[in-house]
Amino acid sequence: MIIAVVIILVIVIFGLIVYNITIHKKIQKFNNLNQKIRNLNVVQDFINAIGETSTVENKIKKINDILIERYEIKYSTIVVYDGAEYQVKTSNVDPKHWDSLRNLHKVEMFKDSIEAAVPKSVTVNNENERLPYQQMEFGRAKSAIFFPLYIENVYIGYWIIESGTPHDFDNIDITVLEIIKENIVAVLKTVVHQKTLESIVREDQFTGLNSEAYLYGEGKKIIEQYTISTMCMFKVTNIQQINKQYSRDLGNKVITEISKYIKDNLSEEYVFVRYMGPKFVIAFSGVDATGVADFLNEIKEKIETTPIKLEEEPQVYEEPKKKTTKKKQVEQVAMPRLNFVISSYYKGTGIEKVLKKLEEYLDSADINESDITNI
C-alpha cells in the first residue's frame, strides 16, 4: 500500500515537473514573442522619426528619447565622430558632463572596445566608488555599457547607456541591446544622407536663390506640411541666343531680373530655387495644379513683355565731315522667353523623381516652345 502511494506521488511529482517545464517554456516563448513585438514597435517608431520633417539633430534626439522611454534606460548618450571631432549628438545627461562623455574614446577600456568592435560593460561595487571615466561626478551613474558604432566597418562613434544602480546591467539580455544598437546605426546611416544634403546647399551668386539641394532638405519640410503640392519647373529658352547675340553680362542680368521679379511675387509658403543653369523650380506648397495656372500665366506674360536692358560704356566715334568726336550710349535689350511645365507632388513620394520628369520634358521640348504644360 505504501509502495503504491509512493509510486503515485512520484508520478504526480514527475507530472508537476513536466507541467512546470512546459509552462516555463510557454512563458519564455511568450516573453520572446513579446520582446520581438516590442522591438518591432521600437523599429517602427524609429522609422516614423526618420520620416518626420525635421533636422538631423532633432531626428537623432527623437530616437534617443524613444530608447529611454521604451526600454526604461536611465541615461542614454549618442556620440558621433565627424572626421574632425567627437560631438554629443543627443543625451539626456546634464550638459555639464558632456565633456567627459565626448572623450570616452580616450579611456583605455573603451579603446579596446572600439578596436575589437565589441560592447564593454563597467560597474562599481558600492556607492562610494565611481566609474573609471567619471571625473567630477559621483552619484549620477554606477554602471554602464559602451557600444562602438560602425557603418559598413567604418567607425563613426559610440552609444553609451548608464544607470544609477551598481550591477544594473549584469543580467540584461545583451542581444536585445545589440539589436537596438543596429537600429541606431541604421538611423544614423539614413540621416547622414540628409545631413550631406543640408550641408551642400549653396546660395546662387547671381540670383541669391538657394540651390537645388535645398529642395531635398529644408525645402521638403515646407512642402511636406501638405498632402498635395504642385512642382513647377521653367526654363529661359532663349538664354543662349541672348548670350551669343548680345553678351553674357546681359544674359546674367536676364537671369537675375527674372529671379527677382518672381521671388518678389511669391508667397513665403512657396519654395523657389535655381535648379540648374537657366532652369528654375517653384514648389507651390499645398496648391493643386489648377490653382497655379492663372498665376503662372500672369508671371509669364509680364516677364516676356518686359524688355531687360543692359547699358554698356559709352563708345567714342567721329561724326562724318566733322572734326569733333561724340560719345554714343550703346544699349542692349533682350526679351526673355520662358517654357513652363508643372506636375502634382504627393507627400511622402520622391521629389527628385518628379523633378527629373519635369527636366526631361523641358530638355526634349522644341527650343521655340513657350508654354505652360501640365504633365
Side-chain angles (χ1 to χ4, degrees):
M1 185 68 178
I2 297 175
I3 295 175
V5 172
V6 170
I7 293 173
I8 293 172
L9 288 174
V10 169
I11 293 173
V12 170
I13 293 171
F14 181 77
L16 289 173
I17 292 172
V18 172
Y19 177 76
N20 286 337
I21 292 173
T22 303
I23 293 296
H24 176 75
K25 288 182 177 179
K26 288 182 178 180
I27 292 173
Q28 189 65 40
K29 186 176 180 180
F30 174 78
N31 288 337
N32 290 339
L33 180 61
N34 189 50
Q35 185 63 55
K36 289 179 180 179
I37 294 172
R38 186 184 188 187
N39 290 337
L40 285 174
N41 289 336
V42 172
V43 171
Q44 184 60 54
D45 288 342
F46 282 180
I47 293 171
N48 293 339
I50 296 172
E52 289 180 352
T53 53
S54 60
T55 63
V56 168
E57 285 71 19
N58 286 340
K59 288 179 180 180
I60 296 175
K61 182 181 183 302
K62 181 68 179 290
I63 66 168
N64 201 46
D65 291 342
I66 292 170
L67 294 176
I68 293 166
E69 178 184 352
R70 300 296 290 273
Y71 291 102
E72 299 179 353
I73 296 172
K74 180 68 174 178
Y75 300 110
S76 177
T77 302
I78 298 174
V79 178
V80 174
Y81 180 61
D82 64 4
E85 61 182 356
Y86 285 81
Q87 297 181 348
V88 176
K89 285 298 182 182
T90 180
S91 178
N92 64 328
V93 176
D94 192 308
K96 67 183 180 181
H97 301 306
W98 284 14
D99 280 341
S100 174
L101 290 169
R102 70 166 59 95
N103 286 295
L104 297 183
H105 60 286
K106 297 178 181 178
V107 179
E108 286 301 324
M109 67 173 65
F110 296 144
K111 283 183 181 179
D112 295 338
S113 174
I114 293 170
E115 290 176 4
V118 295
K120 177 68 176 180
S121 179
V122 58
T123 186
V124 298
N125 293 314
N126 61 68
E127 293 293 337
N128 296 323
E129 294 181 279
R130 65 181 179 183
L131 297 173
Y133 62 87
Q134 294 177 318
Q135 299 172 0
M136 303 296 292
E137 49 182 323
F138 282 92
R140 185 181 66 82
K142 297 299 180 181
S143 56
I145 305 181
F146 176 93
F147 294 89
L149 303 177
Y150 288 81
I151 293 181
E152 297 176 356
N153 297 322
V154 177
Y155 170 68
I156 61 163
Y158 49 84
W159 171 46
I160 184 169
I161 58 174
E162 300 170 291
S163 169
T165 304
H167 297 280
D168 199 23
F169 299 117
D170 286 2
N171 298 316
I172 196 167
D173 186 352
I174 198 71
T175 58
V176 173
L177 293 177
E178 285 285 355
I179 293 171
I180 299 172
K181 184 201 74 173
E182 292 306 317
N183 289 330
I184 292 173
V185 170
V187 171
L188 291 176
K189 187 176 181 179
T190 301
V191 298
V192 158
H193 298 299
Q194 180 182 340
K195 188 66 177 178
T196 301
L197 287 172
E198 291 175 357
S199 65
I200 64 175
V201 173
R202 296 289 184 271
E203 186 178 282
D204 181 64
Q205 60 178 331
F206 290 114
T207 64
L209 300 175
N210 287 315
S211 63
E212 171 197 358
Y214 180 82
L215 283 169
Y216 309 120
E218 292 297 316
K220 189 174 182 179
K221 297 175 193 174
I222 300 171
I223 299 167
E224 298 226 325
Q225 292 177 21
Y226 306 90
T227 304
I228 302 176
S229 298
T230 297
M231 302 299 292
C232 167
M233 184 179 292
F234 70 88
K235 179 180 180 181
V236 185
T237 58
N238 62 338
I239 193 67
Q240 292 183 346
Q241 179 185 345
I242 293 171
N243 289 340
K244 184 176 180 180
Q245 183 177 348
Y246 297 103
S247 67
R248 186 167 292 276
D249 288 339
L250 180 57
N252 289 338
K253 187 170 184 181
V254 167
I255 294 295
T256 56
E257 289 295 312
I258 291 173
S259 303
K260 184 178 185 303
Y261 178 76
I262 293 178
K263 185 177 180 180
D264 290 345
N265 286 276
L266 276 182
S267 166
E268 291 184 357
E269 294 181 355
Y270 304 151
V271 179
F272 183 33
V273 302
R274 187 172 186 181
Y275 186 74
M276 188 182 299
K279 301 189 194 85
F280 296 80
V281 170
I282 307 172
F284 293 94
S285 312
V287 182
D288 62 26
T290 57
V292 304
D294 290 341
F295 174 76
L296 292 181
N297 276 312
E298 291 177 9
I299 289 286
K300 188 174 187 300
E301 182 179 359
K302 177 66 177 179
I303 291 175
E304 292 185 339
T305 57
T306 302
I308 297 177
K309 304 177 181 179
L310 180 70
E311 293 185 352
E312 289 187 343
E313 291 296 321
Q315 294 182 350
V316 178
Y317 75 104
E318 291 187 4
E319 289 188 349
K321 300 180 182 180
K322 291 185 179 180
K323 295 181 180 180
T324 58
T325 60
K326 292 185 178 181
K327 293 182 178 180
K328 181 180 180 181
Q329 194 81 6
V330 178
E331 189 176 61
Q332 298 181 19
V333 182
M335 301 290 289
R337 188 171 61 247
L338 308 180
N339 196 18
F340 287 81
V341 60
I342 62 176
S343 182
S344 296
Y345 170 76
Y346 298 91
K347 179 179 179 178
T349 58
I351 289 180
E352 68 283 355
K353 293 182 179 179
V354 176
L355 296 180
K356 186 66 176 177
K357 181 174 67 172
L358 299 179
E359 184 179 22
E360 287 174 352
Y361 178 87
L362 288 179
D363 288 344
S364 62
D366 188 282
I367 194 170
N368 295 314
E369 181 180 317
S370 178
D371 212 339
I372 299 175
T373 305
N374 188 353
I375 61 174

Tab-separated table of all heavy atoms in Angstrom, residues 286-319:
chain	number	residue	atom	x	y	z
A	286	GLY	N	0.933	72.963	-51.007
A	286	GLY	CA	-0.473	72.904	-50.658
A	286	GLY	C	-1.424	73.393	-51.728
A	286	GLY	O	-2.612	73.586	-51.455
A	287	VAL	N	-0.941	73.580	-52.959
A	287	VAL	CA	-1.789	74.080	-54.051
A	287	VAL	C	-1.814	73.041	-55.170
A	287	VAL	O	-0.768	72.526	-55.561
A	287	VAL	CB	-1.247	75.417	-54.604
A	287	VAL	CG1	-2.165	75.947	-55.697
A	287	VAL	CG2	-1.095	76.431	-53.486
A	288	ASP	N	-3.010	72.740	-55.686
A	288	ASP	CA	-3.068	71.781	-56.789
A	288	ASP	C	-2.756	72.483	-58.110
A	288	ASP	O	-2.676	73.709	-58.189
A	288	ASP	CB	-4.419	71.058	-56.842
A	288	ASP	CG	-5.589	72.002	-57.073
A	288	ASP	OD1	-5.389	73.072	-57.662
A	288	ASP	OD2	-6.712	71.662	-56.658
A	289	ALA	N	-2.593	71.693	-59.157
A	289	ALA	CA	-2.113	72.226	-60.441
A	289	ALA	C	-3.042	73.287	-61.019
A	289	ALA	O	-2.585	74.283	-61.605
A	289	ALA	CB	-1.933	71.075	-61.431
A	290	THR	N	-4.349	73.094	-60.859
A	290	THR	CA	-5.292	74.069	-61.432
A	290	THR	C	-5.203	75.421	-60.729
A	290	THR	O	-5.527	76.451	-61.310
A	290	THR	CB	-6.734	73.536	-61.325
A	290	THR	OG1	-7.021	73.252	-59.945
A	290	THR	CG2	-6.900	72.267	-62.146
A	291	GLY	N	-4.741	75.400	-59.496
A	291	GLY	CA	-4.681	76.638	-58.728
A	291	GLY	C	-3.525	77.543	-59.069
A	291	GLY	O	-3.500	78.704	-58.647
A	292	VAL	N	-2.539	77.034	-59.811
A	292	VAL	CA	-1.364	77.860	-60.132
A	292	VAL	C	-1.391	78.385	-61.560
A	292	VAL	O	-0.555	79.212	-61.930
A	292	VAL	CB	-0.059	77.062	-59.913
A	292	VAL	CG1	0.013	76.519	-58.503
A	292	VAL	CG2	0.084	75.935	-60.919
A	293	ALA	N	-2.336	77.927	-62.375
A	293	ALA	CA	-2.358	78.284	-63.800
A	293	ALA	C	-2.447	79.788	-64.020
A	293	ALA	O	-1.657	80.366	-64.798
A	293	ALA	CB	-3.507	77.566	-64.497
A	294	ASP	N	-3.407	80.443	-63.367
A	294	ASP	CA	-3.585	81.895	-63.569
A	294	ASP	C	-2.343	82.658	-63.137
A	294	ASP	O	-1.907	83.600	-63.817
A	294	ASP	CB	-4.801	82.391	-62.778
A	294	ASP	CG	-6.111	81.879	-63.361
A	294	ASP	OD1	-6.104	81.466	-64.548
A	294	ASP	OD2	-7.121	81.886	-62.643
A	295	PHE	N	-1.770	82.265	-62.005
A	295	PHE	CA	-0.573	82.955	-61.507
A	295	PHE	C	0.580	82.827	-62.505
A	295	PHE	O	1.257	83.812	-62.822
A	295	PHE	CB	-0.155	82.375	-60.156
A	295	PHE	CG	1.146	82.909	-59.628
A	295	PHE	CD1	1.221	84.175	-59.061
A	295	PHE	CD2	2.309	82.151	-59.722
A	295	PHE	CE1	2.425	84.674	-58.589
A	295	PHE	CE2	3.515	82.646	-59.253
A	295	PHE	CZ	3.574	83.907	-58.680
A	296	LEU	N	0.802	81.620	-63.011
A	296	LEU	CA	1.901	81.404	-63.948
A	296	LEU	C	1.678	82.154	-65.258
A	296	LEU	O	2.630	82.672	-65.855
A	296	LEU	CB	2.081	79.905	-64.222
A	296	LEU	CG	2.593	79.067	-63.043
A	296	LEU	CD1	2.736	77.606	-63.462
A	296	LEU	CD2	3.934	79.588	-62.538
A	297	ASN	N	0.425	82.211	-65.708
A	297	ASN	CA	0.128	82.970	-66.925
A	297	ASN	C	0.458	84.445	-66.756
A	297	ASN	O	1.028	85.083	-67.662
A	297	ASN	CB	-1.352	82.805	-67.306
A	297	ASN	CG	-1.597	81.546	-68.117
A	297	ASN	OD1	-0.877	81.277	-69.081
A	297	ASN	ND2	-2.605	80.781	-67.740
A	298	GLU	N	0.122	84.997	-65.598
A	298	GLU	CA	0.429	86.407	-65.326
A	298	GLU	C	1.931	86.639	-65.269
A	298	GLU	O	2.444	87.616	-65.837
A	298	GLU	CB	-0.216	86.834	-64.008
A	298	GLU	CG	-1.731	86.897	-64.046
A	298	GLU	CD	-2.321	87.262	-62.698
A	298	GLU	OE1	-1.534	87.632	-61.792
A	298	GLU	OE2	-3.555	87.175	-62.541
A	299	ILE	N	2.639	85.741	-64.569
A	299	ILE	CA	4.088	85.851	-64.464
A	299	ILE	C	4.737	85.786	-65.840
A	299	ILE	O	5.606	86.591	-66.184
A	299	ILE	CB	4.646	84.719	-63.561
A	299	ILE	CG1	4.277	84.951	-62.099
A	299	ILE	CG2	6.159	84.569	-63.723
A	299	ILE	CD1	5.051	86.051	-61.420
A	300	LYS	N	4.322	84.802	-66.606
A	300	LYS	CA	4.899	84.575	-67.934
A	300	LYS	C	4.674	85.786	-68.845
A	300	LYS	O	5.594	86.266	-69.521
A	300	LYS	CB	4.273	83.325	-68.552
A	300	LYS	CG	4.910	82.859	-69.852
A	300	LYS	CD	4.292	81.541	-70.275
A	300	LYS	CE	5.025	80.968	-71.477
A	300	LYS	NZ	4.987	81.853	-72.661
A	301	GLU	N	3.439	86.283	-68.859
A	301	GLU	CA	3.120	87.422	-69.723
A	301	GLU	C	3.909	88.660	-69.318
A	301	GLU	O	4.434	89.390	-70.177
A	301	GLU	CB	1.617	87.708	-69.655
A	301	GLU	CG	1.184	88.859	-70.560
A	301	GLU	CD	-0.308	89.121	-70.506
A	301	GLU	OE1	-1.016	88.396	-69.773
A	301	GLU	OE2	-0.764	90.077	-71.183
A	302	LYS	N	4.011	88.895	-68.020
A	302	LYS	CA	4.736	90.075	-67.532
A	302	LYS	C	6.209	90.010	-67.913
A	302	LYS	O	6.782	91.000	-68.412
A	302	LYS	CB	4.587	90.166	-66.009
A	302	LYS	CG	5.354	91.312	-65.365
A	302	LYS	CD	4.810	92.658	-65.791
A	302	LYS	CE	5.534	93.792	-65.070
A	302	LYS	NZ	5.029	95.121	-65.505
A	303	ILE	N	6.850	88.862	-67.694
A	303	ILE	CA	8.283	88.733	-67.968
A	303	ILE	C	8.571	88.819	-69.452
A	303	ILE	O	9.523	89.489	-69.887
A	303	ILE	CB	8.814	87.413	-67.381
A	303	ILE	CG1	8.798	87.476	-65.853
A	303	ILE	CG2	10.234	87.120	-67.887
A	303	ILE	CD1	9.181	86.187	-65.167
A	304	GLU	N	7.745	88.160	-70.266
A	304	GLU	CA	8.024	88.102	-71.700
A	304	GLU	C	7.680	89.397	-72.433
A	304	GLU	O	8.047	89.565	-73.597
A	304	GLU	CB	7.265	86.927	-72.326
A	304	GLU	CG	7.787	85.577	-71.872
A	304	GLU	CD	7.129	84.405	-72.584
A	304	GLU	OE1	6.010	84.586	-73.131
A	304	GLU	OE2	7.735	83.319	-72.603
A	305	THR	N	6.999	90.317	-71.782
A	305	THR	CA	6.673	91.607	-72.409
A	305	THR	C	7.453	92.760	-71.792
A	305	THR	O	7.194	93.926	-72.122
A	305	THR	CB	5.165	91.889	-72.286
A	305	THR	OG1	4.778	91.859	-70.900
A	305	THR	CG2	4.356	90.881	-73.071
A	306	THR	N	8.369	92.440	-70.904
A	306	THR	CA	9.177	93.484	-70.265
A	306	THR	C	10.614	93.410	-70.777
A	306	THR	O	11.316	92.425	-70.510
A	306	THR	CB	9.182	93.332	-68.734
A	306	THR	OG1	7.839	93.378	-68.250
A	306	THR	CG2	10.002	94.439	-68.087
A	307	PRO	N	11.068	94.437	-71.515
A	307	PRO	CA	12.456	94.428	-72.017
A	307	PRO	C	13.442	94.486	-70.849
A	307	PRO	O	13.228	95.205	-69.871
A	307	PRO	CB	12.541	95.702	-72.861
A	307	PRO	CG	11.130	96.118	-73.116
A	307	PRO	CD	10.346	95.639	-71.942
A	308	ILE	N	14.506	93.726	-70.952
A	308	ILE	CA	15.578	93.774	-69.958
A	308	ILE	C	16.785	94.384	-70.631
A	308	ILE	O	17.284	93.860	-71.638
A	308	ILE	CB	15.885	92.362	-69.417
A	308	ILE	CG1	14.648	91.812	-68.691
A	308	ILE	CG2	17.081	92.404	-68.458
A	308	ILE	CD1	14.800	90.406	-68.166
A	309	LYS	N	17.242	95.494	-70.062
A	309	LYS	CA	18.279	96.300	-70.726
A	309	LYS	C	19.603	96.243	-69.987
A	309	LYS	O	19.645	96.089	-68.775
A	309	LYS	CB	17.814	97.757	-70.832
A	309	LYS	CG	16.485	97.933	-71.546
A	309	LYS	CD	16.058	99.393	-71.544
A	309	LYS	CE	14.699	99.567	-72.233
A	309	LYS	NZ	14.265	100.998	-72.223
A	310	LEU	N	20.650	96.394	-70.763
A	310	LEU	CA	21.993	96.483	-70.202
A	310	LEU	C	22.732	97.581	-70.929
A	310	LEU	O	22.963	97.509	-72.134
A	310	LEU	CB	22.747	95.155	-70.375
A	310	LEU	CG	24.172	95.135	-69.818
A	310	LEU	CD1	24.158	95.181	-68.295
A	310	LEU	CD2	24.912	93.889	-70.290
A	311	GLU	N	23.068	98.629	-70.186
A	311	GLU	CA	23.787	99.753	-70.798
A	311	GLU	C	25.277	99.501	-70.763
A	311	GLU	O	25.833	99.156	-69.717
A	311	GLU	CB	23.450	101.055	-70.075
A	311	GLU	CG	22.006	101.497	-70.254
A	311	GLU	CD	21.750	102.853	-69.624
A	311	GLU	OE1	22.668	103.349	-68.921
A	311	GLU	OE2	20.678	103.414	-69.834
A	312	GLU	N	25.911	99.651	-71.913
A	312	GLU	CA	27.359	99.490	-71.990
A	312	GLU	C	28.035	100.828	-71.759
A	312	GLU	O	27.405	101.895	-71.743
A	312	GLU	CB	27.771	98.931	-73.352
A	312	GLU	CG	27.386	97.477	-73.548
A	312	GLU	CD	27.968	96.936	-74.843
A	312	GLU	OE1	28.356	97.765	-75.694
A	312	GLU	OE2	28.040	95.709	-74.982
A	313	GLU	N	29.370	100.791	-71.630
A	313	GLU	CA	30.149	102.024	-71.516
A	313	GLU	C	30.009	102.827	-72.793
A	313	GLU	O	29.939	102.265	-73.886
A	313	GLU	CB	31.619	101.689	-71.273
A	313	GLU	CG	31.903	101.091	-69.905
A	313	GLU	CD	31.602	102.073	-68.797
A	313	GLU	OE1	31.885	103.270	-68.973
A	313	GLU	OE2	31.065	101.640	-67.759
A	314	PRO	N	29.936	104.150	-72.687
A	314	PRO	CA	29.829	104.991	-73.895
A	314	PRO	C	30.978	104.706	-74.852
A	314	PRO	O	32.110	104.514	-74.442
A	314	PRO	CB	29.909	106.415	-73.342
A	314	PRO	CG	29.513	106.282	-71.903
A	314	PRO	CD	29.991	104.949	-71.465
A	315	GLN	N	30.673	104.663	-76.146
A	315	GLN	CA	31.693	104.449	-77.169
A	315	GLN	C	31.977	105.758	-77.880
A	315	GLN	O	31.069	106.520	-78.194
A	315	GLN	CB	31.223	103.405	-78.195
A	315	GLN	CG	31.067	102.019	-77.590
A	315	GLN	CD	30.651	101.003	-78.630
A	315	GLN	OE1	30.310	101.355	-79.749
A	315	GLN	NE2	30.694	99.733	-78.242
A	316	VAL	N	33.251	106.039	-78.161
A	316	VAL	CA	33.660	107.277	-78.825
A	316	VAL	C	33.711	107.040	-80.326
A	316	VAL	O	34.256	106.048	-80.803
A	316	VAL	CB	35.056	107.724	-78.319
A	316	VAL	CG1	35.488	108.987	-79.058
A	316	VAL	CG2	35.011	107.961	-76.818
A	317	TYR	N	33.107	107.969	-81.098
A	317	TYR	CA	33.156	107.833	-82.562
A	317	TYR	C	33.191	109.229	-83.178
A	317	TYR	O	32.869	110.240	-82.543
A	317	TYR	CB	31.951	107.049	-83.063
A	317	TYR	CG	30.651	107.824	-83.056
A	317	TYR	CD1	30.108	108.316	-84.237
A	317	TYR	CD2	29.981	108.075	-81.851
A	317	TYR	CE1	28.936	109.041	-84.214
A	317	TYR	CE2	28.811	108.785	-81.831
A	317	TYR	CZ	28.275	109.258	-83.022
A	317	TYR	OH	27.109	109.963	-82.997
A	318	GLU	N	33.580	109.314	-84.433
A	318	GLU	CA	33.648	110.590	-85.145
A	318	GLU	C	32.482	110.707	-86.110
A	318	GLU	O	32.200	109.782	-86.865
A	318	GLU	CB	34.964	110.693	-85.931
A	318	GLU	CG	36.180	110.836	-85.046
A	318	GLU	CD	37.426	111.115	-85.867
A	318	GLU	OE1	37.291	111.253	-87.088
A	318	GLU	OE2	38.501	111.205	-85.267
A	319	GLU	N	31.783	111.833	-86.045
A	319	GLU	CA	30.706	112.073	-86.986
A	319	GLU	C	31.310	112.463	-88.336
A	319	GLU	O	32.343	113.133	-88.405
A	319	GLU	CB	29.796	113.204	-86.500
A	319	GLU	CG	28.946	112.796	-85.312
A	319	GLU	CD	27.930	113.871	-84.981
A	319	GLU	OE1	28.058	114.979	-85.540
A	319	GLU	OE2	27.028	113.594	-84.177
